[in-house]
Amino acid sequence: MTLEEIMNAPAPASQWVLEEDCRESGLEPQDVLTVMRDRIREMRDSVERGLKSDAKSITGMVGWNAKGLWEAEDRLNAPLLKRVQAYAMAVNEENARMGRIVAAPTAGSAGTIPGALLGVADHLGISDDDLVMPMVLAAGVGRAISRQMYISGSAGGCQAEIGSSAAMAAAAVTELLGGTPRAAVHAAALALMNTIGLVCDPVGGYVEVPCVSRNAFFAVHAVSAAQLALAQLESFIPPDEVIGAMAQVGRMMPLQLRETAEGGLAQTPTGRRVTARMEGRED
Amino acid sequence: MSLLDMIGPVMIGPSSSHTAGACRIGLISRAVLGRAPTRARIGLHASFAKTGRGHGTHLALVAGLLGFAPDDARLPRAFEEARAAGLEVEFYETNLGEVHPNTADLDLEGEGVRARVVASSTGGGLIEVIRVDGFQVAFDGASPTLLLKYRDTYGVIARVAGIIAEDHVNIATLTCNREKRGGLALMSIQLDAPLSDHAVRTVAGLSEMSWIRRLPKVVG
């Protein structure tokens, strides 16, 4: 299963993903959907528990953030944003206090899909029954990613893990809101492309791809940060130490990943082709 | 790797590789022993040793040894549950060489039985058993598995495969390793479906067999 195949499937993409997976596993589609429905209920339970609890995690570093945000005044008047953030944190705080959660695709990234998919559904008044097929699509996108890449932070880096969950969530939300298979898969790719971390990888060295879409993503990122801070959430690591950590990671990165167009998106087959064309040569 | 691995498993946090995977390693090791363990010495390698405490790895391994699934609410209280069940556990740090960083070496004792299992947690709750009683194996707990200890003799593998075929079950993977020609050997067979009791008895009845274990699916 590749993203390309999902993108070119007849709509809805989730139906193709389900049939393709069942052909391989020998499972009946109905059985997969039944389990998927259970997992949505489990996600919902973990969101509810997480929003209510302020019990500390094992280490005592987190545990009250989701409840704090959920109960805080919404000064941005952005209920969707707040809901998505609070749901996501609720699940991961449940995880941190050894509560019951659904790994999606991992436990460390378990909050992203319920945050995005359940958050959007609740904001718009969509029932859980309508989330089953988008969840199947999320799983299919996860499968496609895991064909090429490690999806655990320990093997692929943190952004591989959280980026995968974001890509899965992006595709699911897109299908839920009527997007085509093509739109859903491109939503996944955009989300993934913006979780490559500190890497500066402009295609051909031009400040265009991925820079333009990254500005859109990070504008939301900035508003997210403000939303959390307005609800009295604080960075556990002191701000200057955060800068220090970032500087350290930057120094540890090879030169190819620092705006030289010698790594990351700039060195994908498409990136290299565009570069060659700009320079008037064949790649 | 199916859709249900990507949205799932349902588990007690905090880490699919350190907690859910560790619990499944405990579960499969208990099945290899063939009964409830009364004593466990568990060696933790690399990341399991270094970051296991914060990730509940110790609790999850013990929970699995007690027969709890990764989503069992008793998992965080596994140490108390072990005391109540009469299971004595001891952990130590070990170096298993060139294996996955999340690997555990379990030395188990039950009434009259002993087993040694080395297994890795490879991410997202998936596992890989790499050694049983000193023999190299390769199975992942994602399908029913048959473990056979037998005397290495001409035709044993074919006879076992024949019995499985007659039972209309397909073999997914099969590994064999022996200590020396004509010596003891260990075979692990991953099956597409569980074998019937009759077929298991027939395999166990072969004159070369010294030990047989039917392991359940613990992943997926």
Side-chain angles (χ1 to χ4, degrees):
Chain A
M1 194 172 292
T2 66
L3 289 180
E4 175 99 20
E5 286 172 333
I6 301 175
M7 183 165 78
N8 292 322
S14 52
Q15 186 61 40
W16 181 85
V17 165
L18 181 64
E19 285 164 13
E20 194 62 20
D21 194 71
C22 287
R23 216 180 342 266
E24 210 172 293
S25 67
L27 293 173
E28 288 300 319
Q30 268 322 314
D31 298 338
V32 172
L33 294 180
T34 303
V35 178
M36 220 39 113
R37 209 166 277 127
D38 284 349
R39 299 215 163 147
I40 291 171
R41 208 175 45 240
E42 292 281 357
M43 284 182 179
R44 169 100 33 225
D45 287 350
S46 61
V47 167
E48 277 167 21
R49 274 182 274 117
L51 289 179
K52 279 193 211 116
S53 176
D54 53 11
K56 287 182 181 173
S57 66
I58 312 167
T59 63
M61 284 192 285
V62 295
W64 53 90
N65 296 293
K67 184 171 191 276
L69 175 63
W70 191 235
E71 291 173 357
E73 184 196 345
D74 182 6
R75 286 200 252 181
L76 282 165
N77 192 17
L80 171 64
L81 193 58
K82 174 169 151 172
R83 192 179 284 276
V84 168
Q85 291 175 326
Y87 282 19
M89 289 199 296
V91 175
N92 274 83
E93 286 192 326
E94 272 298 288
N95 182 54
R97 60 172 84 91
M98 296 194 86
R100 188 179 158 98
I101 53 99
V102 183
T106 62
S109 62
T112 312
I113 292 175
L117 195 60
L118 299 182
V120 167
D122 289 357
H123 180 73
L124 298 175
I126 296 170
S127 81
D128 283 1
D129 282 346
D130 293 330
L131 305 183
V132 178
M133 290 309 286
M135 197 65 86
V136 166
L137 177 57
V141 168
R143 265 199 68 175
I145 295 171
S146 68
R147 261 182 88 239
Q148 287 195 59
M149 190 174 91
Y150 295 109
I151 53 164
S152 72
S154 56
C158 178
Q159 306 300 311
E161 177 168 345
I162 196 77
S164 298
S165 65
M168 292 161 73
V173 170
T174 306
E175 179 168 300
L176 178 72
L177 301 183
T180 59
R182 186 178 174 85
V185 169
H186 277 282
L190 284 166
L192 209 52
M193 152 175 181
N194 279 289
T195 34
I196 299 185
L198 279 190
V199 172
C200 181
D201 51 356
V203 173
Y206 298 93
V207 188
E208 295 175 18
V209 175
C211 318
V212 173
S213 69
R214 273 189 192 163
N215 275 269
F217 274 93
F218 281 86
V220 176
H221 189 68
V223 175
S224 268
Q227 172 95 294
L228 299 194
L230 286 166
Q232 314 296 323
L233 270 71
E234 294 191 343
S235 168
F236 183 82
I237 304 294
D240 280 315
E241 293 185 29
V242 174
I243 302 175
M246 195 152 186
Q248 184 206 26
V249 175
R251 281 194 301 271
M252 287 164 87
M253 282 200 312
L255 258 183
Q256 289 92 320
L257 302 180
R258 294 194 254 163
E259 220 191 337
T260 54
E262 286 173 356
L265 297 170
Q267 283 301 314
T268 54
T270 298
R272 280 206 306 274
R273 212 161 36 242
V274 170
T275 310
R277 202 172 65 225
M278 294 302 172
E279 292 173 354
R281 60 177 171 83
E282 292 295 308
D283 185 45
Chain B
M1 176 78 50
S2 83
L3 295 178
L4 298 176
D5 296 313
M6 303 310 305
I7 304 291
V10 178
M11 57 170 285
I12 305 292
S15 163
S16 40
S17 47
H18 285 81
T19 321
C23 180
R24 286 164 163 177
I25 287 175
L27 273 175
I28 201 114
S29 302
R30 176 187 167 104
V32 171
L33 185 68
R35 64 191 315 154
T38 52
R39 190 155 181 276
R41 280 198 80 234
I42 305 178
L44 298 176
H45 171 75
S47 173
F48 259 11
K50 303 295 174 209
T51 69
R53 285 277 172 210
H55 284 122
T57 304
H58 303 66
L59 290 167
L61 283 164
V62 173
L65 288 177
L66 292 169
F68 302 169
D71 67 341
D72 195 307
R74 293 171 293 179
L75 191 148
R77 300 192 310 271
F79 291 158
E80 289 94 306
E81 298 279 349
R83 264 193 297 279
L87 165 61
E88 213 179 289
V89 190
E90 187 189 325
F91 287 97
Y92 63 97
E93 202 172 319
T94 185
N95 183 347
L96 299 169
E98 292 300 308
V99 296
H100 192 284
N102 294 330
T103 299
D105 179 354
L106 299 92
D107 190 357
L108 306 178
E109 282 173 47
E111 269 162 64
V113 282
R114 225 176 149 163
R116 184 97 185 241
V117 179
V118 180
S120 310
S121 173
T122 55
L126 304 180
I127 64 168
E128 181 78 46
V129 181
I130 56 177
R131 215 166 256 282
V132 169
D133 290 349
F135 293 95
Q136 261 184 39
V137 293
F139 59 92
D140 61 11
S143 48
T145 301
L146 214 54
L147 275 189
L148 311 169
K149 206 181 280 177
Y150 61 101
R151 196 163 37 77
D152 172 48
T153 324
Y154 175 76
V156 179
I157 298 169
R159 281 201 290 284
V160 170
I163 295 165
I164 294 172
E166 272 170 39
D167 209 33
H168 297 284
V169 172
N170 195 30
I171 293 176
T173 69
L174 188 154
T175 63
C176 298
N177 255 292
R178 59 183 185 186
E179 49 190 15
K180 58 173 196 255
R181 193 165 173 170
L184 265 183
L186 195 106
M187 188 179 342
S188 65
I189 311 170
Q190 291 200 101
L191 303 163
D192 281 352
L195 211 56
S196 70
D197 292 343
H198 172 74
V200 173
R201 271 198 305 275
T202 313
V203 172
L206 295 175
S207 60
E208 298 85 356
M209 291 301 144
S210 69
W211 176 94
I212 179 164
R213 289 282 183 271
R214 207 175 348 179
L215 311 182
K217 191 163 141 35
V218 299
V219 169

